[in-house]
Tab-separated table of all heavy atoms in Angstrom:
chain	number	residue	atom	x	y	z
L	234	ARG	N	-28.425	-18.965	-7.124
L	234	ARG	CA	-27.978	-20.153	-7.861
L	234	ARG	C	-29.136	-20.772	-8.625
L	234	ARG	O	-28.956	-21.243	-9.766
L	234	ARG	CB	-27.366	-21.150	-6.867
L	234	ARG	CG	-26.909	-22.476	-7.467
L	234	ARG	CD	-26.039	-22.325	-8.684
L	234	ARG	NE	-24.936	-21.399	-8.478
L	234	ARG	CZ	-24.150	-20.954	-9.442
L	234	ARG	NH1	-24.361	-21.321	-10.699
L	234	ARG	NH2	-23.175	-20.113	-9.185
L	235	GLN	N	-30.323	-20.763	-8.067
L	235	GLN	CA	-31.491	-21.292	-8.777
L	235	GLN	C	-31.748	-20.490	-10.052
L	235	GLN	O	-32.023	-21.068	-11.117
L	235	GLN	CB	-32.716	-21.241	-7.866
L	235	GLN	CG	-33.967	-21.869	-8.457
L	235	GLN	CD	-35.139	-21.809	-7.504
L	235	GLN	OE1	-35.342	-20.824	-6.793
L	235	GLN	NE2	-35.923	-22.876	-7.461
L	236	LYS	N	-31.648	-19.174	-9.975
L	236	LYS	CA	-31.844	-18.332	-11.157
L	236	LYS	C	-30.775	-18.599	-12.209
L	236	LYS	O	-31.064	-18.685	-13.418
L	236	LYS	CB	-31.815	-16.852	-10.766
L	236	LYS	CG	-32.988	-16.384	-9.927
L	236	LYS	CD	-32.832	-14.895	-9.593
L	236	LYS	CE	-33.986	-14.388	-8.740
L	236	LYS	NZ	-33.814	-12.947	-8.397
L	237	ILE	N	-29.529	-18.709	-11.781
L	237	ILE	CA	-28.433	-18.932	-12.723
L	237	ILE	C	-28.567	-20.292	-13.402
L	237	ILE	O	-28.384	-20.422	-14.616
L	237	ILE	CB	-27.074	-18.824	-11.997
L	237	ILE	CG1	-26.881	-17.411	-11.435
L	237	ILE	CG2	-25.924	-19.168	-12.945
L	237	ILE	CD1	-25.709	-17.281	-10.477
L	238	ASP	N	-28.911	-21.317	-12.628
L	238	ASP	CA	-29.046	-22.655	-13.200
L	238	ASP	C	-30.165	-22.707	-14.226
L	238	ASP	O	-30.061	-23.386	-15.262
L	238	ASP	CB	-29.299	-23.683	-12.090
L	238	ASP	CG	-28.059	-23.935	-11.238
L	238	ASP	OD1	-26.962	-23.521	-11.651
L	238	ASP	OD2	-28.210	-24.534	-10.147
L	239	TRP	N	-31.263	-21.981	-13.970
L	239	TRP	CA	-32.360	-21.941	-14.942
L	239	TRP	C	-31.898	-21.268	-16.241
L	239	TRP	O	-32.163	-21.761	-17.340
L	239	TRP	CB	-33.551	-21.190	-14.356
L	239	TRP	CG	-34.633	-20.936	-15.367
L	239	TRP	CD1	-34.882	-19.781	-16.038
L	239	TRP	CD2	-35.599	-21.886	-15.854
L	239	TRP	NE1	-35.948	-19.929	-16.896
L	239	TRP	CE2	-36.402	-21.210	-16.804
L	239	TRP	CE3	-35.862	-23.221	-15.561
L	239	TRP	CZ2	-37.454	-21.840	-17.470
L	239	TRP	CZ3	-36.915	-23.849	-16.229
L	239	TRP	CH2	-37.685	-23.168	-17.169
L	240	ALA	N	-31.188	-20.147	-16.084
L	240	ALA	CA	-30.701	-19.454	-17.277
L	240	ALA	C	-29.742	-20.336	-18.067
L	240	ALA	O	-29.825	-20.411	-19.306
L	240	ALA	CB	-30.014	-18.147	-16.873
L	241	ARG	N	-28.843	-21.025	-17.371
L	241	ARG	CA	-27.844	-21.840	-18.067
L	241	ARG	C	-28.499	-22.923	-18.920
L	241	ARG	O	-28.000	-23.265	-20.001
L	241	ARG	CB	-26.882	-22.466	-17.057
L	241	ARG	CG	-25.842	-23.378	-17.718
L	241	ARG	CD	-24.803	-23.884	-16.746
L	241	ARG	NE	-23.923	-22.804	-16.348
L	241	ARG	CZ	-23.740	-22.405	-15.108
L	241	ARG	NH1	-24.372	-22.994	-14.124
L	241	ARG	NH2	-22.921	-21.422	-14.829
L	242	GLN	N	-29.630	-23.463	-18.460
L	242	GLN	CA	-30.319	-24.503	-19.235
L	242	GLN	C	-30.734	-24.001	-20.610
L	242	GLN	O	-30.894	-24.794	-21.537
L	242	GLN	CB	-31.571	-24.968	-18.493
L	242	GLN	CG	-31.323	-25.738	-17.224
L	242	GLN	CD	-32.639	-26.126	-16.574
L	242	GLN	OE1	-33.573	-26.567	-17.240
L	242	GLN	NE2	-32.720	-25.949	-15.259
L	243	HIS	N	-30.917	-22.685	-20.744
L	243	HIS	CA	-31.432	-22.106	-21.980
L	243	HIS	C	-30.384	-21.252	-22.693
L	243	HIS	O	-30.729	-20.427	-23.537
L	243	HIS	CB	-32.675	-21.268	-21.658
L	243	HIS	CG	-33.753	-22.056	-20.989
L	243	HIS	ND1	-34.632	-22.869	-21.672
L	243	HIS	CD2	-34.073	-22.191	-19.670
L	243	HIS	CE1	-35.455	-23.447	-20.823
L	243	HIS	NE2	-35.141	-23.052	-19.607
L	244	MET	N	-29.106	-21.494	-22.374
L	244	MET	CA	-28.018	-20.738	-22.991
L	244	MET	C	-26.988	-21.705	-23.598
L	244	MET	O	-25.871	-21.853	-23.098
L	244	MET	CB	-27.370	-19.797	-21.965
L	244	MET	CG	-28.325	-18.746	-21.424
L	244	MET	SD	-27.612	-17.629	-20.180
L	244	MET	CE	-26.521	-16.607	-21.188
L	245	PRO	N	-27.360	-22.362	-24.696
L	245	PRO	CA	-26.474	-23.384	-25.271
L	245	PRO	C	-25.174	-22.827	-25.832
L	245	PRO	O	-24.164	-23.550	-25.880
L	245	PRO	CB	-27.324	-24.005	-26.379
L	245	PRO	CG	-28.336	-22.957	-26.726
L	245	PRO	CD	-28.647	-22.273	-25.423
L	246	ILE	N	-25.163	-21.568	-26.269
L	246	ILE	CA	-23.920	-20.999	-26.798
L	246	ILE	C	-22.887	-20.891	-25.676
L	246	ILE	O	-21.741	-21.350	-25.818
L	246	ILE	CB	-24.177	-19.623	-27.428
L	246	ILE	CG1	-25.134	-19.741	-28.607
L	246	ILE	CG2	-22.860	-18.995	-27.884
L	246	ILE	CD1	-25.616	-18.407	-29.148
L	247	CYS	N	-23.293	-20.287	-24.564
L	247	CYS	CA	-22.367	-20.160	-23.439
L	247	CYS	C	-21.968	-21.534	-22.899
L	247	CYS	O	-20.821	-21.736	-22.469
L	247	CYS	CB	-22.985	-19.304	-22.340
L	247	CYS	SG	-22.974	-17.528	-22.712
L	248	ALA	N	-22.889	-22.503	-22.934
L	248	ALA	CA	-22.563	-23.858	-22.474
L	248	ALA	C	-21.488	-24.484	-23.353
L	248	ALA	O	-20.526	-25.098	-22.856
L	248	ALA	CB	-23.820	-24.722	-22.463
L	249	ALA	N	-21.622	-24.341	-24.670
L	249	ALA	CA	-20.630	-24.912	-25.587
L	249	ALA	C	-19.274	-24.233	-25.408
L	249	ALA	O	-18.225	-24.905	-25.406
L	249	ALA	CB	-21.124	-24.770	-27.022
L	250	LEU	N	-19.284	-22.903	-25.266
L	250	LEU	CA	-18.032	-22.184	-25.078
L	250	LEU	C	-17.399	-22.535	-23.731
L	250	LEU	O	-16.172	-22.664	-23.624
L	250	LEU	CB	-18.268	-20.687	-25.181
L	250	LEU	CG	-18.599	-20.179	-26.590
L	250	LEU	CD1	-19.042	-18.726	-26.537
L	250	LEU	CD2	-17.410	-20.358	-27.526
L	251	ARG	N	-18.220	-22.732	-22.715
L	251	ARG	CA	-17.666	-23.105	-21.413
L	251	ARG	C	-16.966	-24.461	-21.498
L	251	ARG	O	-15.874	-24.637	-20.932
L	251	ARG	CB	-18.767	-23.139	-20.359
L	251	ARG	CG	-18.257	-23.558	-18.979
L	251	ARG	CD	-19.284	-23.351	-17.901
L	251	ARG	NE	-18.788	-23.792	-16.614
L	251	ARG	CZ	-19.230	-23.373	-15.435
L	251	ARG	NH1	-20.184	-22.458	-15.394
L	251	ARG	NH2	-18.732	-23.837	-14.308
L	252	ASP	N	-17.582	-25.407	-22.187
L	252	ASP	CA	-16.938	-26.717	-22.350
L	252	ASP	C	-15.573	-26.562	-23.025
L	252	ASP	O	-14.585	-27.180	-22.619
L	252	ASP	CB	-17.826	-27.645	-23.185
L	252	ASP	CG	-19.068	-28.096	-22.431
L	252	ASP	OD1	-19.095	-27.972	-21.188
L	252	ASP	OD2	-20.013	-28.573	-23.090
L	253	GLU	N	-15.530	-25.730	-24.069
L	253	GLU	CA	-14.264	-25.497	-24.768
L	253	GLU	C	-13.258	-24.805	-23.858
L	253	GLU	O	-12.078	-25.189	-23.785
L	253	GLU	CB	-14.520	-24.635	-26.010
L	253	GLU	CG	-13.257	-24.216	-26.739
L	253	GLU	CD	-13.496	-23.088	-27.721
L	253	GLU	OE1	-14.568	-23.059	-28.355
L	253	GLU	OE2	-12.603	-22.218	-27.850
L	254	PHE	N	-13.724	-23.785	-23.141
L	254	PHE	CA	-12.823	-23.011	-22.293
L	254	PHE	C	-12.260	-23.836	-21.139
L	254	PHE	O	-11.102	-23.666	-20.754
L	254	PHE	CB	-13.560	-21.792	-21.726
L	254	PHE	CG	-13.860	-20.711	-22.732
L	254	PHE	CD1	-14.594	-19.594	-22.345
L	254	PHE	CD2	-13.423	-20.809	-24.038
L	254	PHE	CE1	-14.874	-18.583	-23.249
L	254	PHE	CE2	-13.702	-19.803	-24.961
L	254	PHE	CZ	-14.431	-18.689	-24.560
L	255	GLU	N	-13.083	-24.705	-20.568
L	255	GLU	CA	-12.594	-25.528	-19.459
L	255	GLU	C	-11.453	-26.434	-19.915
L	255	GLU	O	-10.531	-26.716	-19.143
L	255	GLU	CB	-13.738	-26.367	-18.887
L	255	GLU	CG	-14.722	-25.544	-18.046
L	255	GLU	CD	-15.880	-26.371	-17.527
L	255	GLU	OE1	-16.234	-27.372	-18.188
L	255	GLU	OE2	-16.439	-26.013	-16.467
L	256	GLU	N	-11.516	-26.844	-21.168
L	256	GLU	CA	-10.476	-27.732	-21.699
L	256	GLU	C	-9.221	-26.965	-22.102
L	256	GLU	O	-8.099	-27.397	-21.820
L	256	GLU	CB	-11.019	-28.501	-22.902
L	256	GLU	CG	-10.016	-29.455	-23.521
L	256	GLU	CD	-10.598	-30.241	-24.681
L	256	GLU	OE1	-11.834	-30.204	-24.879
L	256	GLU	OE2	-9.812	-30.896	-25.392
L	257	THR	N	-9.397	-25.802	-22.739
L	257	THR	CA	-8.247	-25.094	-23.301
L	257	THR	C	-7.675	-24.018	-22.397
L	257	THR	O	-6.537	-23.576	-22.601
L	257	THR	CB	-8.639	-24.451	-24.645
L	257	THR	OG1	-9.708	-23.504	-24.426
L	257	THR	CG2	-9.102	-25.514	-25.640
L	258	GLN	N	-8.443	-23.535	-21.430
L	258	GLN	CA	-8.003	-22.510	-20.482
L	258	GLN	C	-7.363	-21.287	-21.177
L	258	GLN	O	-6.244	-20.872	-20.849
L	258	GLN	CB	-7.021	-23.108	-19.476
L	258	GLN	CG	-7.620	-24.144	-18.536
L	258	GLN	CD	-8.581	-23.503	-17.524
L	258	GLN	OE1	-8.151	-22.856	-16.580
L	258	GLN	NE2	-9.876	-23.685	-17.757
L	259	PRO	N	-8.085	-20.663	-22.105
L	259	PRO	CA	-7.485	-19.548	-22.852
L	259	PRO	C	-7.225	-18.300	-22.018
L	259	PRO	O	-6.440	-17.443	-22.436
L	259	PRO	CB	-8.529	-19.268	-23.939
L	259	PRO	CG	-9.828	-19.716	-23.343
L	259	PRO	CD	-9.470	-20.938	-22.541
L	260	LEU	N	-7.871	-18.185	-20.857
L	260	LEU	CA	-7.719	-16.982	-20.037
L	260	LEU	C	-6.876	-17.229	-18.789
L	260	LEU	O	-6.895	-16.438	-17.847
L	260	LEU	CB	-9.090	-16.431	-19.632
L	260	LEU	CG	-10.016	-16.051	-20.789
L	260	LEU	CD1	-11.343	-15.519	-20.251
L	260	LEU	CD2	-9.365	-15.020	-21.697
L	261	ASP	N	-6.129	-18.321	-18.791
L	261	ASP	CA	-5.290	-18.635	-17.641
L	261	ASP	C	-4.336	-17.471	-17.362
L	261	ASP	O	-3.612	-17.001	-18.238
L	261	ASP	CB	-4.484	-19.905	-17.923
L	261	ASP	CG	-3.672	-20.339	-16.710
L	261	ASP	OD1	-4.144	-20.142	-15.578
L	261	ASP	OD2	-2.559	-20.856	-16.909
L	262	GLY	N	-4.368	-16.983	-16.127
L	262	GLY	CA	-3.489	-15.888	-15.725
L	262	GLY	C	-4.061	-14.504	-15.974
L	262	GLY	O	-3.453	-13.512	-15.562
L	263	GLN	N	-5.226	-14.408	-16.635
L	263	GLN	CA	-5.825	-13.103	-16.899
L	263	GLN	C	-6.741	-12.679	-15.749
L	263	GLN	O	-7.310	-13.514	-15.042
L	263	GLN	CB	-6.630	-13.135	-18.202
L	263	GLN	CG	-5.829	-13.534	-19.420
L	263	GLN	CD	-4.691	-12.572	-19.711
L	263	GLN	OE1	-4.784	-11.359	-19.464
L	263	GLN	NE2	-3.586	-13.116	-20.222
L	264	ARG	N	-6.880	-11.372	-15.590
L	264	ARG	CA	-7.809	-10.801	-14.615
L	264	ARG	C	-8.847	-9.994	-15.405
L	264	ARG	O	-8.477	-9.046	-16.112
L	264	ARG	CB	-7.074	-9.923	-13.604
L	264	ARG	CG	-6.059	-10.676	-12.765
L	264	ARG	CD	-5.343	-9.759	-11.774
L	264	ARG	NE	-4.612	-8.687	-12.445
L	264	ARG	CZ	-3.404	-8.806	-12.966
L	264	ARG	NH1	-2.776	-9.990	-12.935
L	264	ARG	NH2	-2.819	-7.780	-13.558
L	265	VAL	N	-10.091	-10.380	-15.284
L	265	VAL	CA	-11.159	-9.746	-16.060
L	265	VAL	C	-12.013	-8.894	-15.121
L	265	VAL	O	-12.568	-9.403	-14.146
L	265	VAL	CB	-12.032	-10.793	-16.776
L	265	VAL	CG1	-13.163	-10.103	-17.547
L	265	VAL	CG2	-11.175	-11.629	-17.738
L	266	GLY	N	-12.096	-7.602	-15.418
L	266	GLY	CA	-12.945	-6.691	-14.665
L	266	GLY	C	-14.215	-6.421	-15.441
L	266	GLY	O	-14.163	-6.058	-16.620
L	267	MET	N	-15.364	-6.576	-14.787
L	267	MET	CA	-16.653	-6.460	-15.468
L	267	MET	C	-17.540	-5.434	-14.764
L	267	MET	O	-17.626	-5.426	-13.530
L	267	MET	CB	-17.361	-7.822	-15.507
L	267	MET	CG	-16.557	-8.926	-16.171
L	267	MET	SD	-17.362	-10.564	-16.096
L	267	MET	CE	-18.793	-10.284	-17.160
L	268	ALA	N	-18.217	-4.600	-15.546
L	268	ALA	CA	-19.268	-3.709	-15.043
L	268	ALA	C	-20.483	-3.955	-15.919
L	268	ALA	O	-20.551	-3.467	-17.047
L	268	ALA	CB	-18.834	-2.252	-15.104
L	269	MET	N	-21.435	-4.737	-15.408
L	269	MET	CA	-22.553	-5.233	-16.214
L	269	MET	C	-23.842	-5.179	-15.377
L	269	MET	O	-23.817	-4.927	-14.178
L	269	MET	CB	-22.301	-6.690	-16.636
L	269	MET	CG	-20.986	-6.938	-17.362
L	269	MET	SD	-21.027	-6.402	-19.069
L	269	MET	CE	-21.954	-7.734	-19.817
L	270	HIS	N	-24.971	-5.449	-16.033
L	270	HIS	CA	-26.222	-5.656	-15.310
L	270	HIS	C	-26.137	-7.052	-14.674
L	270	HIS	O	-26.174	-8.071	-15.378
L	270	HIS	CB	-27.415	-5.584	-16.252
L	270	HIS	CG	-27.542	-4.265	-16.950
L	270	HIS	ND1	-27.847	-3.102	-16.279
L	270	HIS	CD2	-27.402	-3.929	-18.259
L	270	HIS	CE1	-27.893	-2.103	-17.146
L	270	HIS	NE2	-27.622	-2.574	-18.346
L	271	VAL	N	-26.005	-7.104	-13.363
L	271	VAL	CA	-25.731	-8.387	-12.708
L	271	VAL	C	-27.044	-9.097	-12.422
L	271	VAL	O	-27.700	-8.885	-11.403
L	271	VAL	CB	-24.894	-8.184	-11.432
L	271	VAL	CG1	-24.617	-9.530	-10.766
L	271	VAL	CG2	-23.574	-7.499	-11.784
L	272	GLU	N	-27.435	-9.917	-13.386
L	272	GLU	CA	-28.606	-10.782	-13.246
L	272	GLU	C	-28.217	-12.159	-13.773
L	272	GLU	O	-27.032	-12.399	-14.032
L	272	GLU	CB	-29.826	-10.183	-13.947
L	272	GLU	CG	-29.574	-9.586	-15.306
L	272	GLU	CD	-29.378	-10.625	-16.377
L	272	GLU	OE1	-30.221	-11.538	-16.480
L	272	GLU	OE2	-28.387	-10.555	-17.096
């Protein structure tokens, strides 16, 4: 959580999109499967 919080402070694009997404809930009911570098 400490690593994620540090990254979030320096990711304004994802922060702006998260604010929008929390309000509009565009993925409500969707299931997203991810295979990524988990950092």
Side-chain angles (χ1 to χ4, degrees):
R234 177 50 50 190
Q235 185 179 39
K236 292 179 181 179
I237 297 169
D238 288 347
W239 172 259
R241 178 174 289 122
Q242 291 179 44
H243 302 279
M244 298 179 72
I246 298 171
C247 284
L250 290 170
R251 179 170 178 157
D252 289 343
E253 174 195 324
F254 289 176
E255 286 178 332
E256 180 178 349
T257 61
Q258 294 290 285
L260 301 180
D261 185 34
Q263 302 299 327
R264 298 180 300 277
V265 178
M267 303 176 67
M269 305 283 283
H270 300 293
V271 180
E272 43 75 51

